[in-house]
Structure formats: structure tokens, C-alpha cells
Amino acid sequence: EVQLVESGGGLVQAGGSLRLSCAASGFTFDDYAIGWFRQAPGKEREGVSCISSGDGSTVYGDSVKGRFTISSDNAKNTVSLQMNSLKPGDTAVYYCAAGIQKDLTYGRFNWWEYDYWGQGTQVTVSS
């Protein structure tokens, strides 16, 4: 059974930091890219960051570049998202998703190309 389990969300003040984790199981981790998406109420799903489990290449959305860092621990099948300098605009439910690397359009956060999704974790940034 494929599972993606997010953790690490919570409430933080603007300027603070949070670290999200995504624990993956049930598929060949090295063949997949893991992406983080977020969705705020009334807004479209937005791609945040993505990492290839195979070669470690990363992509970031424009709104988080320089503030967020994605990393992968292939030994533990876990991807983390370190979020620094958080802003109220970062408030959303954050989801991790897995997609077969070769099927993803590089540099684009096409959510429909991802096969598996976690249940999401809430991140709330207060001003």
C-alpha cells in the first residue's frame, strides 16, 4: 500500500520557521520525484518545491525561492521542507505528492502528473 504521511505543520509567527516531513512507503522511492504543494482557502493549488529522489535535483516556486529548502533522505524514504522567514501568505494546507520522475514535466508543478498524495498538514502563519 502506497502511503505519504506529512508531519510538522503548525502555527508560527511571521518570520519564524517550520520543518515539514513527508514519509513515503509502498513504492520504489528512487524512481519518483516528491513534490510539495499547498492550497489556501479559495485559492488554486500551488506548487512549492520538488526534488528528484534519484539525482537530488530541486525546483522551487517563485514565491518561496530563497526561503524554503527541500531535501531528501533516501535511506529513510523521507523528504523534508525547511521553511524559513515565513509570511502570512504562506498559510495553507501543505501536501506532499509522488510522481514518477520521467513522467513529470521538469520545472512545472503540474499536480495532475503526480500519482500519490498525502493527507496534508496545516501551516498557519500569524502576522
Side-chain angles (χ1 to χ4, degrees):
E1 178 189 6
V2 172
Q3 280 194 318
L4 294 171
V5 181
E6 302 98 335
S7 60
L11 173 64
V12 65
Q13 287 189 331
S17 299
L18 283 174
R19 186 177 181 87
L20 304 184
S21 292
C22 174
S25 61
F27 59 91
T28 305
F29 192 73
D30 288 356
D31 292 340
Y32 281 72
I34 305 296
W36 285 97
F37 292 79
R38 66 188 183 186
Q39 189 163 20
K43 294 189 177 181
E44 293 187 353
R45 194 173 327 188
E46 176 189 8
V48 174
S49 184
C50 177
I51 186 167
S52 167
S53 301
D55 63 15
S57 58
T58 59
V59 180
Y60 293 93
D62 289 341
S63 62
V64 306
K65 282 180 182 177
R67 301 188 297 122
F68 290 12
T69 303
I70 192 170
S71 60
S72 178
D73 184 340
N74 285 28
K76 296 182 179 180
N77 285 9
T78 300
V79 170
S80 297
L81 184 69
Q82 178 66 41
M83 306 187 296
N84 298 330
S85 302
L86 284 162
K87 305 173 181 179
D90 294 317
T91 295
V93 178
Y94 284 69
Y95 300 91
C96 69
I100 295 176
Q101 180 66 55
K102 64 180 180 64
D103 292 341
L104 301 181
T105 304
Y106 181 78
R108 302 292 297 273
F109 293 100
N110 295 334
W111 59 265
W112 56 90
E113 294 177 344
Y114 288 76
D115 302 301
Y116 308 115
W117 291 80
Q119 82 288 351
T121 187
Q122 177 70 46
V123 171
T124 303
V125 184
S126 64
S127 57

